Protein backbone atom coordinates (compact mmCIF):
# COMPACT_ATOMS: atom_id res chain seq x y z
CA UNK A 1 0.00 0.00 0.00
CA UNK A 2 1.45 3.37 -1.03
CA UNK A 3 1.76 6.10 1.59
CA UNK A 4 1.61 9.83 0.96
CA UNK A 5 3.99 12.47 2.26
CA UNK A 6 2.61 15.77 3.51
CA UNK A 7 4.89 17.57 1.04
CA UNK A 8 3.27 15.69 -1.86
CA UNK A 9 -0.20 16.47 -0.55
CA UNK A 10 0.60 20.18 -0.24
CA UNK A 11 1.92 20.26 -3.80
CA UNK A 12 -1.15 18.50 -5.16
CA UNK A 13 -3.57 20.62 -3.08
CA UNK A 14 -2.06 23.82 -4.46
CA UNK A 15 -2.47 22.65 -8.05
CA UNK A 16 -5.95 21.23 -7.43
CA UNK A 17 -7.17 24.45 -5.82
CA UNK A 18 -5.54 26.83 -8.31
CA UNK A 19 -6.10 24.58 -11.39
CA UNK A 20 -3.02 26.26 -12.79
CA UNK A 21 0.59 25.06 -12.38
CA UNK A 22 2.09 28.55 -12.60
CA UNK A 23 -0.13 30.02 -9.87
CA UNK A 24 0.33 26.92 -7.72
CA UNK A 25 4.12 27.16 -8.03
CA UNK A 26 4.02 30.83 -7.10
CA UNK A 27 1.82 30.04 -4.09
CA UNK A 28 4.29 27.35 -2.98
CA UNK A 29 7.33 29.56 -3.56
CA UNK A 30 8.95 27.20 -6.06
CA UNK A 31 9.61 26.90 -9.79
CA UNK A 32 6.98 25.30 -12.03
CA UNK A 33 9.09 22.46 -13.58
CA UNK A 34 9.87 20.68 -10.26
CA UNK A 35 6.23 21.05 -9.23
CA UNK A 36 5.07 19.42 -12.49
CA UNK A 37 7.58 16.59 -12.01
CA UNK A 38 6.43 16.03 -8.42
CA UNK A 39 2.79 15.69 -9.51
CA UNK A 40 3.75 13.28 -12.31
CA UNK A 41 5.75 11.16 -9.84
CA UNK A 42 2.78 11.11 -7.46
CA UNK A 43 0.47 9.94 -10.27
CA UNK A 44 2.92 7.17 -11.22
CA UNK A 45 3.23 5.97 -7.63
CA UNK A 46 -0.55 5.90 -7.14
CA UNK A 47 -1.17 4.42 -10.57
CA UNK A 48 -3.91 6.92 -11.46
CA UNK A 49 -4.31 10.23 -13.29
CA UNK A 50 -5.13 13.04 -10.90
CA UNK A 51 -5.30 15.90 -13.39
CA UNK A 52 -6.45 16.41 -16.97
CA UNK A 53 -4.11 18.73 -18.84
CA UNK A 54 -5.04 20.28 -22.19
CA UNK A 55 -4.89 23.61 -24.01
CA UNK A 56 -7.83 24.95 -22.03
CA UNK A 57 -6.05 24.37 -18.73
CA UNK A 58 -6.08 21.92 -15.84
CA UNK A 59 -9.03 20.03 -14.38
CA UNK A 60 -9.45 17.30 -11.78
CA UNK A 61 -10.15 13.69 -12.67
CA UNK A 62 -12.48 11.62 -10.50
CA UNK A 63 -9.45 10.27 -8.64
CA UNK A 64 -8.08 13.80 -8.24
CA UNK A 65 -11.34 14.98 -6.75
CA UNK A 66 -11.13 12.18 -4.16
CA UNK A 67 -7.56 13.12 -3.25
CA UNK A 68 -8.53 16.78 -2.97
CA UNK A 69 -11.20 15.92 -0.40
CA UNK A 70 -9.15 13.30 1.46
CA UNK A 71 -5.99 15.40 1.28
CA UNK A 72 -7.62 18.35 3.00
CA UNK A 73 -8.69 16.12 5.87
CA UNK A 74 -5.22 14.56 6.11
CA UNK A 75 -3.42 17.92 6.15
CA UNK A 76 -5.88 19.27 8.72
CA UNK A 77 -5.14 16.23 10.88
CA UNK A 78 -1.36 16.74 10.75
CA UNK A 79 -1.74 20.47 11.42
CA UNK A 80 -4.07 19.73 14.33
CA UNK A 81 -1.61 17.23 15.79
CA UNK A 82 1.18 19.81 15.73
CA UNK A 83 -0.97 22.58 17.22
CA UNK A 84 -2.40 20.46 20.01
CA UNK A 85 1.02 19.04 20.84
CA UNK A 86 2.47 22.54 21.16
CA UNK A 87 -0.50 23.60 23.28
CA UNK A 88 -0.11 20.58 25.56
CA UNK A 89 3.52 21.56 26.12
CA UNK A 90 2.76 25.24 26.69
CA UNK A 91 4.74 26.28 23.61
CA UNK A 92 1.99 28.53 22.20
CA UNK A 93 1.07 30.31 25.45
CA UNK A 94 2.79 33.52 26.69
CA UNK A 95 2.47 32.17 30.24
CA UNK A 96 3.72 28.71 29.25
CA UNK A 97 0.53 27.15 30.64
CA UNK A 98 0.24 23.40 29.97
CA UNK A 99 -3.30 23.22 31.31
CA UNK A 100 -5.26 25.16 28.73
CA UNK A 101 -8.19 24.55 26.38
CA UNK A 102 -9.24 26.65 23.40
CA UNK A 103 -13.02 26.94 23.09
CA UNK A 104 -14.35 28.11 19.71
CA UNK A 105 -17.68 29.94 19.73
CA UNK A 106 -19.67 31.77 17.09
CA UNK A 107 -19.38 35.47 17.89
CA UNK A 108 -22.40 36.73 19.87
CA UNK A 109 -24.17 33.33 19.90
CA UNK A 110 -25.20 31.48 23.10
CA UNK A 111 -23.88 34.38 25.18
CA UNK A 112 -25.74 33.51 28.38
CA UNK A 113 -24.93 29.79 28.08
CA UNK A 114 -21.24 30.57 27.53
CA UNK A 115 -21.14 32.80 30.61
CA UNK A 116 -22.74 30.09 32.74
CA UNK A 117 -20.33 27.46 31.42
CA UNK A 118 -17.21 29.53 32.07
CA UNK A 119 -18.39 30.49 35.56
CA UNK A 120 -19.33 26.92 36.53
CA UNK A 121 -16.12 25.42 35.14
CA UNK A 122 -13.89 28.00 36.86
CA UNK A 123 -15.31 26.76 40.19
CA UNK A 124 -14.19 23.17 39.49
CA UNK A 125 -11.08 21.81 41.26
CA UNK A 126 -8.04 21.87 38.95
CA UNK A 127 -9.96 23.82 36.28
CA UNK A 128 -7.89 24.53 33.19
CA UNK A 129 -7.37 27.93 31.64
CA UNK A 130 -10.06 28.47 28.96
CA UNK A 131 -9.23 30.64 25.98
CA UNK A 132 -12.42 31.73 24.19
CA UNK A 133 -11.87 32.00 20.45
CA UNK A 134 -14.71 33.86 18.65
CA UNK A 135 -15.38 32.67 15.11
CA UNK A 136 -17.51 33.51 12.12
CA UNK A 137 -20.39 31.53 10.65
CA UNK A 138 -19.56 27.78 10.53
CA UNK A 139 -15.87 28.36 11.31
CA UNK A 140 -16.00 26.30 14.52
CA UNK A 141 -15.91 23.11 12.44
CA UNK A 142 -12.69 24.12 10.68
CA UNK A 143 -11.12 25.25 13.95
CA UNK A 144 -11.76 21.85 15.53
CA UNK A 145 -10.50 19.95 12.50
CA UNK A 146 -7.23 21.87 12.11
CA UNK A 147 -6.41 22.13 15.81
CA UNK A 148 -6.96 25.84 16.40
CA UNK A 149 -9.60 24.78 18.94
CA UNK A 150 -9.94 21.83 21.30
CA UNK A 151 -13.69 22.14 21.83
CA UNK A 152 -16.52 24.24 20.38
CA UNK A 153 -20.07 25.37 20.89
CA UNK A 154 -21.82 24.45 17.65
CA UNK A 155 -25.34 25.00 16.41
CA UNK A 156 -27.44 22.52 14.45
CA UNK A 157 -28.68 22.75 11.73
CA UNK A 158 -26.10 25.40 10.78
CA UNK A 159 -22.96 23.49 11.84
CA UNK A 160 -22.07 19.96 10.78
CA UNK A 161 -21.25 17.62 13.67
CA UNK A 162 -19.90 14.90 11.35
CA UNK A 163 -16.72 13.38 12.74
CA UNK A 164 -17.12 14.91 16.19
CA UNK A 165 -18.41 13.70 19.54
CA UNK A 166 -20.99 16.04 21.06
CA UNK A 167 -23.57 16.62 23.78
CA UNK A 168 -26.77 18.70 23.44
CA UNK A 169 -26.91 21.69 25.76
CA UNK A 170 -29.73 23.99 24.65
CA UNK A 171 -32.67 24.13 22.24
CA UNK A 172 -34.17 27.48 21.27
CA UNK A 173 -36.32 29.16 18.64
CA UNK A 174 -35.27 31.78 16.12
CA UNK A 175 -35.94 35.49 15.82
CA UNK A 176 -35.88 38.01 13.00
CA UNK A 177 -33.67 40.99 13.83
CA UNK A 178 -35.03 44.09 12.13
CA UNK A 179 -34.51 47.85 12.21
CA UNK A 180 -36.69 49.19 15.03
CA UNK A 181 -38.60 51.52 12.71
CA UNK A 182 -39.45 48.97 10.02
CA UNK A 183 -43.19 48.12 9.60
CA UNK A 184 -42.56 44.40 10.22
CA UNK A 185 -40.98 45.25 13.57
CA UNK A 186 -44.46 45.96 14.94
CA UNK A 187 -45.63 42.40 14.29
CA UNK A 188 -46.01 39.91 17.18
CA UNK A 189 -44.65 37.03 15.07
CA UNK A 190 -43.30 36.45 11.58
CA UNK A 191 -42.85 33.50 9.23
CA UNK A 192 -39.81 32.57 7.17
CA UNK A 193 -41.74 33.67 4.08
CA UNK A 194 -42.30 37.09 5.67
CA UNK A 195 -38.60 37.74 6.19
CA UNK A 196 -37.14 35.99 3.13
CA UNK A 197 -38.53 38.42 0.58
CA UNK A 198 -38.64 41.97 1.97
CA UNK A 199 -38.00 44.26 -1.03
CA UNK A 200 -36.29 47.02 0.94
CA UNK A 201 -34.59 44.78 3.50
CA UNK A 202 -32.68 41.82 1.98
CA UNK A 203 -31.36 39.18 4.37
CA UNK A 204 -27.69 39.41 5.28
CA UNK A 205 -25.31 36.78 3.87
CA UNK A 206 -22.44 35.05 5.68
CA UNK A 207 -19.63 33.00 4.16
CA UNK A 208 -19.93 29.23 4.41
CA UNK A 209 -16.65 27.43 3.86
CA UNK A 210 -15.19 30.58 2.34
CA UNK A 211 -18.01 31.34 -0.11
CA UNK A 212 -21.07 33.58 0.11
CA UNK A 213 -24.42 32.23 -0.95
CA UNK A 214 -25.96 34.20 -3.85
CA UNK A 215 -28.53 36.88 -3.08
CA UNK A 216 -29.14 40.62 -2.91
CA UNK A 217 -28.26 41.03 0.78
CA UNK A 218 -24.94 42.50 1.96
CA UNK A 219 -21.96 40.23 2.58
CA UNK A 220 -21.32 40.16 6.33
CA UNK A 221 -17.84 39.78 7.80
CA UNK A 222 -18.53 40.14 11.52
CA UNK A 223 -21.30 40.73 14.05
CA UNK A 224 -20.52 44.45 14.58
CA UNK A 225 -20.91 45.12 10.85
CA UNK A 226 -24.21 43.24 10.87
CA UNK A 227 -25.53 45.17 13.87
CA UNK A 228 -24.72 48.50 12.22
CA UNK A 229 -26.28 47.60 8.87
CA UNK A 230 -29.49 46.44 10.56
CA UNK A 231 -29.63 49.67 12.61
CA UNK A 232 -29.21 51.67 9.38
CA UNK A 233 -32.10 49.84 7.73
CA UNK A 234 -29.95 48.10 5.13
CA UNK A 235 -30.51 44.43 6.03
CA UNK A 236 -32.22 41.95 8.34
CA UNK A 237 -31.14 38.61 9.83
CA UNK A 238 -32.59 35.48 11.40
CA UNK A 239 -30.74 34.29 14.50
CA UNK A 240 -31.24 32.01 17.51
CA UNK A 241 -33.26 33.63 20.27
CA UNK A 242 -30.13 33.99 22.44
CA UNK A 243 -28.91 36.70 20.02
CA UNK A 244 -31.15 39.12 21.95
CA UNK A 245 -28.15 39.57 24.26
CA UNK A 246 -26.29 41.72 21.70
CA UNK A 247 -29.17 43.75 20.22
CA UNK A 248 -28.96 47.55 20.11
CA UNK A 249 -31.78 49.96 20.90
CA UNK A 250 -32.12 50.48 17.12
CA UNK A 251 -33.03 46.79 16.68
CA UNK A 252 -36.23 44.84 17.21
CA UNK A 253 -36.49 41.06 17.62
CA UNK A 254 -39.61 39.25 16.38
CA UNK A 255 -40.10 35.47 16.82
CA UNK A 256 -40.12 33.46 13.58
CA UNK A 257 -42.69 30.79 14.34
CA UNK A 258 -41.91 28.29 11.57
CA UNK A 259 -38.11 28.46 11.72
CA UNK A 260 -36.51 25.16 12.77
CA UNK A 261 -35.26 25.03 16.37
CA UNK A 262 -31.57 25.64 16.92
CA UNK A 263 -29.78 23.08 19.09
CA UNK A 264 -26.51 24.14 20.73
CA UNK A 265 -23.98 21.33 21.22
CA UNK A 266 -20.62 21.18 22.88
CA UNK A 267 -18.44 19.28 20.38
CA UNK A 268 -14.90 17.91 20.36
CA UNK A 269 -12.70 15.63 18.19
CA UNK A 270 -13.89 12.03 18.45
CA UNK A 271 -10.37 10.70 19.12
CA UNK A 272 -9.63 13.03 22.05
CA UNK A 273 -8.30 11.47 25.26
CA UNK A 274 -7.94 14.75 27.16
CA UNK A 275 -9.08 14.45 30.79
CA UNK A 276 -9.20 18.25 30.96
CA UNK A 277 -11.60 18.34 28.01
CA UNK A 278 -13.71 15.60 29.59
CA UNK A 279 -14.02 17.75 32.72
CA UNK A 280 -15.26 20.74 30.73
CA UNK A 281 -17.83 18.57 28.93
CA UNK A 282 -19.11 17.17 32.24
CA UNK A 283 -19.55 20.71 33.55
CA UNK A 284 -21.42 21.73 30.40
CA UNK A 285 -23.86 18.83 30.60
CA UNK A 286 -24.72 19.70 34.22
CA UNK A 287 -25.81 23.26 33.37
Amino acid sequence: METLETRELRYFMAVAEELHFGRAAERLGMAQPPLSRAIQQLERRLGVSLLERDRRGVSLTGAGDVLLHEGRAALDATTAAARRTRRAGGADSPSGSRNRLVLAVKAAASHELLQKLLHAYAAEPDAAEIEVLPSGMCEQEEMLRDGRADVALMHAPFNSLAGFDSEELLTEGQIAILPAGHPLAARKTLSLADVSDIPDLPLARWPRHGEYTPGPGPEIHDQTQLAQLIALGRTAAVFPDSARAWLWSEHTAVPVTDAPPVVTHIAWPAHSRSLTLAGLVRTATRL
Side-chain angles (χ1 to χ4, degrees):
M1 177 64 68
E2 293 290 350
T3 59
L4 295 172
E5 298 178 3
T6 55
R7 175 184 58 83
E8 292 177 310
L9 281 177
R10 293 187 190 282
Y11 285 0
F12 171 73
M13 295 291 292
V15 177
E17 291 174 352
E18 298 289 344
L19 293 178
H20 190 282
F21 276 89
R23 289 195 299 269
E26 183 177 356
R27 170 173 150 181
L28 292 165
M30 63 187 297
Q32 182 175 331
L35 175 59
S36 297
R37 288 194 296 270
I39 298 299
Q40 289 169 356
Q41 290 170 2
L42 176 60
E43 289 178 315
R44 283 196 297 270
R45 284 208 305 113
L46 293 177
V48 297
S49 295
L50 300 171
L51 302 166
E52 295 285 355
R53 307 160 178 85
D54 56 33
R55 293 180 179 179
R56 292 174 295 178
V58 178
S59 60
L60 288 171
T61 65
D65 190 59
V66 170
L67 186 58
L68 175 61
H69 175 77
E70 297 288 345
R72 281 177 179 151
L75 289 178
D76 280 349
T78 58
T79 301
R83 283 173 169 159
R84 293 195 175 105
T85 299
R86 286 177 53 80
R87 191 148 57 240
D92 67 345
S93 170
S95 64
S97 173
R98 299 186 181 187
N99 192 28
R100 184 168 69 98
L101 291 173
V102 176
L103 170 62
V105 299
K106 187 169 72 175
S110 304
H111 181 72
E112 183 178 353
L113 175 64
L114 177 59
Q115 282 189 321
K116 288 180 178 178
L117 173 58
L118 295 176
H119 180 74
Y121 181 69
E124 294 288 331
D126 302 321
E129 174 188 345
I130 302 295
E131 178 185 340
V132 177
L133 183 62
S135 70
M137 190 74 163
C138 297
E139 287 183 348
Q140 304 100 303
E141 302 164 42
E142 297 175 14
M143 290 177 171
L144 276 186
R145 295 189 200 282
D146 68 15
R148 283 175 289 169
D150 302 297
V151 59
L153 294 184
M154 292 166 62
H155 312 278
F158 306 114
N159 296 125
S160 170
L161 296 167
F164 302 121
D165 285 339
S166 65
E167 291 283 351
E168 292 186 15
L169 302 182
L170 174 70
T171 300
E172 58 186 321
Q174 298 195 60
I175 55 174
I177 305 174
L178 307 166
H182 194 275
L184 289 180
R187 298 267 294 272
K188 296 290 186 183
T189 62
L190 293 168
S191 68
L192 286 173
D194 291 331
V195 298
S196 63
D197 188 24
I198 309 173
D200 59 338
L201 208 63
L203 287 174
R205 295 181 292 132
W206 290 266
R208 286 179 176 269
H209 309 295
E211 295 183 359
Y212 285 90
T213 56
E219 296 181 353
I220 300 300
H221 307 288
D222 56 55
Q223 182 256 324
T224 300
Q225 177 198 20
L226 173 65
Q228 185 172 37
L229 288 175
I230 294 174
L232 292 172
R234 301 301 178 89
T235 191
V238 177
F239 262 69
D241 191 77
S242 55
R244 293 177 187 271
W246 59 262
L247 297 189
W248 298 0
S249 59
E250 296 94 337
H251 302 152
T252 294
V254 182
V256 181
T257 55
D258 60 347
V262 177
V263 183
T264 299
H265 296 75
I266 186 167
W268 63 95
H271 62 270
S272 176
R273 293 187 171 186
S274 168
L275 296 178
T276 302
L277 174 57
L280 178 65
V281 172
R282 282 196 300 271
T283 299
T285 56
R286 289 198 299 262
L287 294 177

